Amino acid sequence: MKFDYIIIGGGLSGLTCGIRLSQAGKKVAIISAGQSTLHFGSGSLDLLGYDNEGNIADNPLDAIGRLNENHPYRKIGTERIERLAEEAKTLLDDCGIHTTGTAQKNHYRITPMGFLKPTWLTLENYATSPSASELPWKSVILANVAGFLDFPIEFISDGLGKLGTRTEVEIISIPALKARRHSPSEMRSANIAKILSSEETLNQIAEVLNSMEETAEAILMPAIVGLDKQDSESSLKQKVRRPLLLLPTLPPSVPGIRMQTMLQRRFTQLGGLYLMGSMVKEGHVENGKLEYVTTSTLMDERLTADAYILATGSFLSDGLKSNYERIFEPILNLDVTAKENRADWIDPNVFRTQPYQAFGVKTNERFQTSLEGQTLENMYAIGSVLGGHNAIQQADGTGVSMMTALAVANQLINNL
Amino acid sequence: MNTSIFEKHYDIIIIGGGATGAGTARDCAMRGLSTLLVERYDFTTGATGRNHGLLHSGARYAVTDQESATECIDENMILRYIAKPYVEEHDGLFITLPEDDLAYQEKFVESCWKAGINAKIIDPKEAIQMEPSVNPTLIGAVQVPDGSIDPFRLTMANVLDAQLHGAQVLTYHEVTGFIMENGRMMGVYLRDNITGEKREARAEITINAAGIWGTLVARMAGVNVSMFPAKGSLLIFGHRVNNMVINRCRKPANADILVPGDAITVIGTTSDRVPIESVDDMHVTPEEVEVLLSEGAKLAPALATTRILRAYAGVRPLVASDNDPSGRSISRGIVCLDHETRDGLAGFITITGGKLMTYRMMAEVATDMACSKLGVQQKCQTATTPLPGSDKSTVEEPENHLYAFNARVGRHGTLAPSIAAMDDYQNSLVCECEEVSVGEVAHAIENMHVRTLTQLRRRVRLGMGTCQGELCALRAAGILCASCKKSIEEEMADLAEFLNERWKGMYPVGWGSTLSEAQLTSIIYQDLCGITSPSMKDRRQEP
């Protein structure tokens, strides 16, 4: 099978790249092994939350120039990032993923522990604040579903209180959720969201929320609606008299799953081939080029393309692997940037910088990978499989995924 | 804190909340002595919580230490009866590999029989059928009545029973000195390690059951108990590789015991003398990991490709004798010191040496000595009276099948029905790996001296499963907050400490799936939730 481009990895970066290439009329296949890290997401996308010194980046674009030179953003450059950030937002809109926020100024999302964190784009209907030190409401109702333990309400309520917002906690339920609780493993965000997808259950929830006293300015509730599309979220919002805003929960992330679904849907609509549950078995390299790949699902079929894009993610997605001896890229054994000595991979204090977080596949300025020092002209790497930055400390993981995906896609489209 | 605890004049104060201290408290209380148990941190924080969890048959010591071997097999049989829900009876193998001397087997079996251990030579092929994970190149195998035991739950059952018999128990109370009157020890000075408050408690006799720390306790009392701190490191694997204990049939050496327990397998140990000053902060070194892995794979080759959950190390309280650099040849025998006759210090007894297997016998010996000094005639009943949770042979399952009921029975035996499971909230699952419900967490908070996540882990295995506390820690933190009336700051610090404690065990084995899992945990707790350090008092993000 012959494609214009083959993308290995179907998460945020792979899909962003795939959609962009498909929009330009290219024939694209995505080989996806499984779940996406979006399933652990917050409903927001981060461009750059903290600068090199660990301070909040008020304007992410300003801070990019001062990042380590190995940071993927430095390969793209601030000006291009500014353009790509706009493009990313438009691409998300095109997929039906509507967000607020700009690259020029971070806003703040509320974490499931009640902290504020700087971020770039947040899904519509999710609670945010323009300020790092206070919230836009004087008083809110914090409503949780009875028995839903993945929304630690004690911590959130304390956090909102410390930011100066009076918080009233309400525990709500409806018959369908009560029934579901008989099975103790069912009270997880995605399962609840499946129940809260019918008009009937949404009406019942709205009725409970509307029966609360009219003192608070807004109602905040966990992100347990809108698993498949935004409709049920908007529908519930319309039914509730006061402003209703959502807060992220512990995984699985309903907004993350929805983002993944909608990106995937858009990609296939555009004619892309999404090979689900498929892994690259072998890649054949000759004369500094990847000639073809074979997959676990299409056993003997050689898939070929003009260029290949590696978007397999970091360690938790198996895009990078480690063993007793070394850190490696498991598909082609591409060159990686990683410390050789195992003792230098990790720090004994979990809260200090963990060097492994910044390990990744080595690329040149154009995100071309290399094998034993030789550049693979038609093999690119994007997203979390890239090294050079610490996404945990800098809050830039989703941004790097989208920016590098678009940078590479545009390069290919424009034959640069 | 209830002040009447400190006003009472006790017969006995026991120092140390490990198996020996808890067992001694139980024995004393059962014999009608008024008893106070003090522990400076949590229960099972010393060697009790840091070993194989092996229910020794005694076979390991048969050749080198007949006395310990006999004690082990006697106690082995007793524990099967009195601690049924905390014991797994799956037997063990002593295998001979091509590099070992098969002639040792004969001597080994003979010594086992002499100690009263039912050791049976079996055909290597049969051994492979019984235990498919065993190294298939083995040239000899002996079956022995080894098993496994959960030291956390065993200790808690002793604590619970001591309390049922009237004993008082104080965790987080550290002995800072002794009350001396006319050359006699009359009690202890205590510091509450949570509040910093200073207290004292009085008793006729004080029993030092502080494990390796016993040497420091004795020093504080002005007497010398020379100990040999022997560090032993172990690795936990992510699933139950073997179903029988696998040992090497040779003189005891490094990493030659592989013990299955619950859903995991443990390989150990190493043995190295360490300075007494270091015993509070043991770390597993890369060299130890190397030895454990390479030797472990000789017992069961599958270990080479099995995910390692974590590494940990404990310190054996061996009593120093000769010049043995590793401590391997020092007797595991029980040492009970009467400081009145030995050092002229009345009112003070030290119980040490021994091992987890012989904790009950150690308790009996120490209690016998205390009783004879107090003129109390009561005989020891701990060998014949089942512990809480093992008083009946079966637990009736309620009519409506309860989710995770079997897990609860597994952990609490016949006490399981007393765990609240009345409504959906109580039945909600906090930890999916180990099937721990809200009701079980509440039960532990109420009855088992629990205020922190780490304590909860020791009592109900929360966070001990394959995910090492990925989601359950935060869920449980919410419950702890509400039930223990803790401040959010306190619980936040507890959560951060729990995460770092889990990481301490993962750090020495930080590669492969362990590293990937660590990255996921950091994405959830640090990236998604925004926990950045152990103390996050200020919620504001200062630009």
Side-chain angles (χ1 to χ4, degrees), chain B residues 94-95 99-100 104 248-256 295:
Chain B
F94 274 76
I95 61 164
E99 65 200 81
D100 302 331
Y104 188 81
R248 280 287 277 282
C249 195
R250 62 176 185 191
K251 257 185 89 180
N254 280 337
D256 55 3
E295 288 298 307

Side-chain angles (χ1 to χ4, degrees), chain B residues 164-218:
Chain B
L164 287 172
H165 287 88
Q168 300 280 1
V169 175
L170 290 172
T171 52
Y172 292 89
H173 278 72
E174 182 163 357
V175 173
T176 54
F178 294 95
I179 304 171
M180 299 290 197
E181 280 168 15
N182 306 322
R184 183 183 174 88
M185 188 178 287
M186 291 303 292
V188 295
Y189 295 108
L190 294 167
R191 180 183 61 232
D192 181 328
N193 272 339
I194 293 173
T195 64
E197 249 175 301
K198 295 205 161 81
R199 299 287 200 174
E200 52 180 82
R202 294 179 163 263
E204 287 302 304
I205 292 174
T206 301
I207 299 177
N208 170 14
I212 190 63
W213 293 271
T215 185
L216 303 173
V217 170

